Amino acid sequence: MKFFVDTADTAAIKELNDLGMVDGVTTNPSLILKSGRDIIEVTKEICDMVSGPVSAEVVATEAKEMIAEGMKLAKIAPNIAIKVPLNWDGLTACKAFASEGHKVNVTLCFSAAQAILAAKAGASFISPFIGRIDDIHYDGTDLIEDIRIIYDNYSFSTEILAASIRSVNHVIDCAKIGADVVTAPPSVIKSMANHVLTDKGLEQFLKDWAKTGQKIL
Ligand code: E4P
């Protein structure tokens, strides 16, 4: 399973990347806003740091303009994945980018039907947003399961990039289902290391060690 970091915070990306935890990065207009940085400048910095795909999202609403924006974003670095929304214009742009050999991440996917269209349009990644589905009281992981079955039935090469990850359990569920990639905020990735029994066990070991009166260094 590949780990992408869902942020445009370069310090957070660097910390995880230095530990070998980062296979790629996803950004979106909201994350660019949160970073307070210029999209071209921050995306370039991320691409220089990370060797895997870095998703940069178009903001135009019509295919022709999306294609122009995507071509500009693709020039930032060879590891750019152009991110387009899952609507007809986005699929049109996806096909154009894929035909030119660019990686495309089709985002804002909320149904298996949409995921089929993205695969047919040549998407490298499909991004189903599981947290936002949970937010409206459905089970987002059901969608990942459905897409996994469909893509496997037809050997579609589009990778399932589980997005809108809000918890450690989301990551585990996606791993069990067989999502190819999970993109999660740095806080979720870091909290995967936490366990109450680890803390409790360590506390006891340190207490007992203190009683030995010994030192290692
Ligand atoms: C993925 O590419 C999106 O940037 C992201 O996962 C959306 O997450 P959110 O629903 O928590 O905003």
Side-chain angles (χ1 to χ4, degrees):
M1 174 189 238
K2 286 180 255 185
F3 259 9
F4 286 5
V5 198
D6 198 25
T7 187
D9 176 341
T10 52
I13 295 168
K14 185 177 183 326
E15 184 189 2
L16 291 168
N17 195 41
D18 287 350
L19 290 179
M21 305 281 181
V22 179
D23 299 304
V25 174
T26 50
T27 66
N28 64 35
S30 305
L31 293 171
I32 296 294
L33 172 69
K34 202 170 164 191
S35 76
R37 307 268 312 268
D38 171 78
I39 183 171
I40 305 292
E41 183 195 288
V42 74
T43 307
K44 169 104 182 75
E45 197 176 321
I46 297 168
C47 288
D48 288 346
M49 200 185 328
V50 172
S51 54
V54 175
S55 292
E57 189 160 343
V58 301
V59 291
T61 54
E62 286 175 17
K64 200 172 159 207
E65 260 188 79
M66 283 181 189
I67 293 168
E69 287 182 353
M71 290 303 184
K72 180 169 179 183
L73 294 172
K75 286 200 179 91
I76 295 173
N79 54 334
I80 284 286
I82 306 162
K83 210 174 180 191
V84 298
L86 212 161
N87 54 26
W88 209 252
D89 286 280
L91 291 169
T92 306
C94 174
K95 183 67 186 164
F97 295 137
S99 305
E100 296 274 320
H102 295 293
K103 278 192 184 303
V104 188
N105 176 357
V106 181
T107 191
L108 290 166
C109 171
F110 294 94
S111 78
Q114 290 180 314
I116 293 172
L117 292 179
K120 300 292 282 181
S124 313
F125 302 103
I126 182 69
S127 289
F129 274 37
I130 70 174
R132 294 193 194 188
I133 293 175
D134 289 359
D135 289 346
I136 58 160
H137 309 297
Y138 289 90
D139 186 344
T141 55
D142 285 350
L143 175 58
I144 305 287
E145 248 173 333
D146 288 349
I147 300 172
R148 182 74 282 157
I149 292 166
I150 294 166
Y151 279 12
D152 288 350
N153 280 349
Y154 298 99
S155 302
F156 284 134
S157 59
T158 303
E159 292 186 62
I160 302 174
L161 196 174
S164 189
I165 296 286
R166 306 273 171 78
S167 66
V168 171
N169 282 344
H170 272 160
V171 177
I172 300 306
D173 288 343
C174 289
K176 282 157 77 178
I177 293 163
D180 300 289
V181 191
V182 161
T183 189
S187 58
V188 171
I189 295 175
K190 288 184 84 173
S191 63
M192 289 172 74
N194 299 341
H195 199 290
V196 65
L197 293 180
T198 305
D199 296 342
K200 201 175 160 196
L202 185 58
E203 195 184 333
Q204 186 63 50
F205 286 157
L206 293 180
K207 269 188 196 155
D208 290 343
W209 180 249
K211 286 181 200 159
T212 69
Q214 299 179 44
K215 280 189 185 330
I216 294 176
L217 289 177

